[in-house]
Amino acid sequence: MSWTLAFHLALHVLLPLAVALLFFRQQWRKAWLIMLVVMLVDLDHLLADPIFAADRCSIGFHPLHSYTAITGYLLMTLWRPLRLVGIGLLIHMLVDASDCWRMAGFPWL
């Protein structure tokens, strides 16, 4: 496993933890768990061939990583019952987008 893939996977776990600890301190475990569960959004990778390609940008390629879906995730944050789900999905998309930016020539990402 390359260090960039390991770092990418770690960010999917550590960023939701940081958000949970900073903004949902009273229920950080519940908040973190909800934001981790939404990582199942990656199931849409099963529709791709190959399922995993290290040099492919997920944003705009997979159905649940589309700009339309991301807009829906943003709207989820406005409704309290879905807020943590939306935040978790946006964190996931941000981490995935960082890979796209790195591939596009921003090596510090």
Side-chain angles (χ1 to χ4, degrees), residues 34 76-86:
I34 290 169
M76 284 179 173
T77 66
L78 301 176
W79 190 36
R80 189 177 199 112
L82 293 178
R83 184 163 294 146
L84 285 169
V85 173

Side-chain angles (χ1 to χ4, degrees), residues 46 88 93:
L46 296 174
M93 297 303 137

